[in-house]
Amino acid sequence: MKAIKLFERASRTYNDSSSFSKLLVVFTVSGGGLLAYADANSTSPIAPPEIKKKRVVVLGTGWAGTSFLKQLDNPSYDVQVISPRNYFAFTPLLPSVTVGTVEPRSIVEPIRNIVKKKNVDVHYWEAECFKIDSQSKKVHCRSNKNIDGKGKEEFVVDYDYLVIAMGARPNTFNTPGVVEHCNFLKEVEDAQKIRRSVIDAFEKASLPSLSDEERQKMLHFVVVGGGPTGVEFAAELHDFVKEDLVKLYPAAGKYVKITLLEAADHILTMFDKRITEFAEDKFKRDGIDVKLGSMVIKVSDKEISTKGRVNGQVSTMPYGMVVWSTGIGTDPVVKDFMKQVGQETRRVLATDEWLRVEGTDSIYALGDCATINQRRVMEDISSIFKKADKENSGTLTVKQLQAVVDDICERYPQVDLYLKTKKLRNIADLLKDDSKSSVAISIEELKTALKEVDAQVKNLPATAQVAAQQGAYLAKCFNRMEEAEKNPEGPLRFRGEGRHRFHPFRYKHFGQFAPLGGEQTAAQLPGDWVSIGHSTQWLWYSVYASKLVSWRTRSLVVTDWVKRFIFGRDSSSI
């Protein structure tokens, strides 16, 4: 009887449950066995329809692209990463790689390591994009690898959102011979090539059959460009020669010469004047020949020709190696895309303040390949006036204007910058009779008050710091895309209704370094704070170690620094 009651209870439990399709019950009664088998009466719950994920295609694994991937954590996206480089490289340390201070593998992190622990579907393809089709939302790609002797495979990837972070190429200014005869310093492969060239130059100069003139030519290293990269490389090369190579090649030391060519009046023109003067004086003491106002007009396989910017005098000099570091130019793929979106007359791809490419609605560009085209206040002055004039009276009181001043300063950051430059408390100080909040002003008076504001608009520098911040910003926007559609958080739309979905991108400058060799570095930090010397070098070590992308690269780079202190730099040619 107890067995029957137990069976009935189990049967009721089984029939009430929707989580099983079948049940097998075995129990024993008075030494015998009873087997019960039944199909569930209730049907399994219907699975919800699968929501198709939006596909985000990211072109590039540099600072901007990698920062975007690291910060993206919304699982509702299907992310496809396309880049010919399957790793992220910490490019600020490339000058150190050229002389063996740091090993090349120490500054790179495989892109798959970076994204493997994320809860977002991320797929990487080692290929290069050779065409962007914005009309059909497709990118045409070519694999870097030959497939079974059939050549490099080409394929097409569709996208819902496209993030262009392809970086830029070196700017040669169409100078004859630069591409054929100069070394660049944009990639890890460039740094490795330069290092081999330096070692090979010393090995060749040590051969007994060469004349003194030939040795002087082989050991003449020319750096074109007095920006941070060119200056740091010249300083690293000088330290490598003086601290390591002259000990190994004592006979070659007297033939070594390093020349730095700069077309402007000073090197490091983007830094404070105190840093510029210190750098020029130090290079002079170190024996680095800095030629200011010298424009390169031609490079041959044996000589480099320059023209004086002031006197127009043309001169030539023989060289053993040239490193070209004069800024960046637009990638050919990006140039072709710019024609599609009506930007063929621009030097670089233009985006709005939300990093969206102008003329598109689902394509974003960040890093060195793009620049933000900040909207001018005077272009929207009528819309601003109309939005503030809620009573449609044709005039504004200071109080009415102050009601939208926060939105104005956020949408047009040049207004806030102008106020700080002029040491004004608020926008009311720009208006006459600002002490009387009820005084009405016309649109013409508002135009007069704001006419000089747009002069504060400046393009952001093409630096790793800018690219990294843009990537992180865009990822946060993608993380909150659906929520922001429902609850916009940005400033007022002065030329439309409602608010913008997101706050516009704002770059925050944390300072910049200029290593000058001899364990001395110059730093210009926010607040016009300048530091130069050995203590700043240790600050440089700390900041760069903290900015490396993983603990693996941090440990490798710090180990390389320690090895260099103890054993010196490696001079092998591999």
Side-chain angles (χ1 to χ4, degrees), residues 220 257-261 283-284 287-291 317:
H220 184 199
K257 183 179 181 181
I258 301 174
T259 301
L260 179 63
L261 302 177
F283 276 15
K284 185 177 180 180
I288 299 175
D289 186 14
V290 179
K291 295 183 179 296
M317 65 180 80

Side-chain angles (χ1 to χ4, degrees), residues 372-421:
I372 296 175
N373 188 18
Q374 175 62 52
R375 187 83 181 174
R376 268 51 173 180
V377 174
M378 298 309 292
E379 293 176 330
D380 297 337
I381 193 69
S382 298
S383 300
I384 294 172
F385 190 92
K386 184 177 180 181
K387 183 72 69 172
D389 184 18
K390 295 182 179 181
E391 299 176 358
N392 295 321
S393 62
T395 59
L396 282 182
T397 64
V398 173
K399 185 177 181 180
Q400 287 176 315
L401 188 59
Q402 286 179 326
V404 296
V405 69
D406 290 340
D407 294 294
I408 293 175
C409 289
E410 183 175 13
R411 182 65 181 85
Y412 310 95
Q414 60 266 38
V415 175
D416 189 47
L417 183 60
Y418 182 78
L419 294 176
K420 292 179 180 178
T421 302

Side-chain angles (χ1 to χ4, degrees), residues 185-336:
L185 193 49
K186 289 284 292 178
E187 304 288 345
V188 174
E189 294 82 2
D190 297 334
Q192 291 175 303
K193 181 181 177 182
I194 291 172
R195 184 173 180 274
R196 287 192 296 268
S197 298
V198 172
I199 301 300
D200 288 346
F202 274 84
E203 291 292 349
K204 291 177 182 178
S206 299
L207 296 175
S209 59
L210 296 181
S211 65
D212 289 349
E213 183 179 349
E214 289 174 316
R215 290 190 175 94
Q216 288 176 346
K217 173 184 175 297
M218 286 182 178
L219 296 177
H220 184 199
F221 304 101
V222 180
V223 183
V224 183
T229 301
V231 167
E232 183 176 354
F233 170 70
E236 287 276 9
L237 180 59
H238 172 268
D239 288 354
F240 186 33
V241 171
K242 298 300 181 184
E243 296 174 6
D244 300 280
L245 294 182
V246 293
K247 299 176 182 178
L248 302 174
Y249 306 89
K254 61 182 179 180
Y255 301 108
V256 178
K257 183 179 181 181
I258 301 174
T259 301
L260 179 63
L261 302 177
E262 169 56 44
D265 294 330
H266 296 281
I267 62 174
L268 299 177
T269 54
M270 69 291 300
F271 282 80
D272 186 273
K273 185 179 179 181
R274 291 167 286 180
I275 294 177
T276 297
E277 292 176 349
F278 180 86
E280 291 175 355
D281 291 341
K282 185 179 186 304
F283 276 15
K284 185 177 180 180
R285 294 194 304 270
D286 290 342
I288 299 175
D289 186 14
V290 179
K291 295 183 179 296
L292 302 173
S294 296
M295 299 181 294
V296 177
I297 58 175
K298 183 181 179 182
V299 182
S300 68
D301 59 341
K302 297 180 180 180
E303 294 180 328
I304 182 169
S305 301
T306 63
K307 181 179 180 181
R309 189 169 54 85
V310 177
N311 55 22
Q313 183 178 355
V314 176
S315 60
T316 61
M317 65 180 80
Y319 69 88
M321 183 187 74
V322 177
V323 174
W324 188 274
S325 178
T326 60
I328 57 174
T330 306
D331 186 276
V333 177
V334 177
K335 277 187 176 181
D336 179 70

Side-chain angles (χ1 to χ4, degrees), residues 110-176:
I111 202 67
R112 287 186 170 89
N113 281 357
I114 296 175
V115 302
K116 67 181 180 180
K117 296 182 180 180
K118 300 187 70 64
N119 64 340
V120 182
D121 290 334
V122 180
H123 304 279
Y124 168 75
W125 315 109
E126 187 174 322
E128 60 177 347
C129 170
F130 64 87
K131 183 181 178 182
I132 300 171
D133 187 347
S134 58
Q135 295 297 322
S136 58
K137 289 193 170 184
K138 300 177 185 293
V139 290
H140 298 257
C141 307
R142 183 183 298 112
S143 170
N144 269 15
K145 310 297 182 184
N146 286 317
I147 309 299
D148 296 329
K150 298 178 182 179
K152 297 181 178 180
E153 179 187 358
E154 294 187 2
F155 57 94
V156 178
V157 180
D158 298 315
Y159 67 84
D160 295 300
Y161 297 105
L162 178 63
V163 178
I164 304 175
M166 300 173 66
R169 63 175 183 173
N171 191 354
T172 66
F173 300 97
N174 296 319
T175 306

